[in-house]
Amino acid sequence: MAKIDVILAATPDQYKLCMGIWHIVFVEEQGVPAQLEVDLYEEKAKHFLALVDGIAAGTGRLRLKNSYVKFERIATQKSYRG
């Protein structure tokens, strides 16, 4: 069985992995304009990276909005969907 870890993307390299997944999923697969990839919440949000056997497989972010937590930009590499 695969080992799955979800970590806080705390380093620049981990954040780059998140951005890479978003680019593939949102820009390449879904046709979202690349300039929309970074928004005004990017620095305030907490970014998470899902690793499957040490390989970056998915990502997402969360941020506080008023009195609740909002999960956003959830993306999974195509080979890990199903």
Side-chain angles (χ1 to χ4, degrees), residues 4-42:
I4 301 171
D5 294 300
V6 178
I7 63 169
L8 180 65
T11 69
D13 287 341
Q14 291 167 340
Y15 178 72
K16 285 179 189 176
L17 289 170
C18 294
M19 291 297 292
I21 294 170
W22 286 323
H23 184 83
I24 291 167
V25 173
F26 295 126
V27 176
E28 294 178 17
E29 291 179 12
Q30 296 181 12
V32 174
Q35 64 268 25
L36 297 180
E37 279 304 287
V38 177
D39 62 20
L40 62 121
Y41 304 115
E42 201 67 19

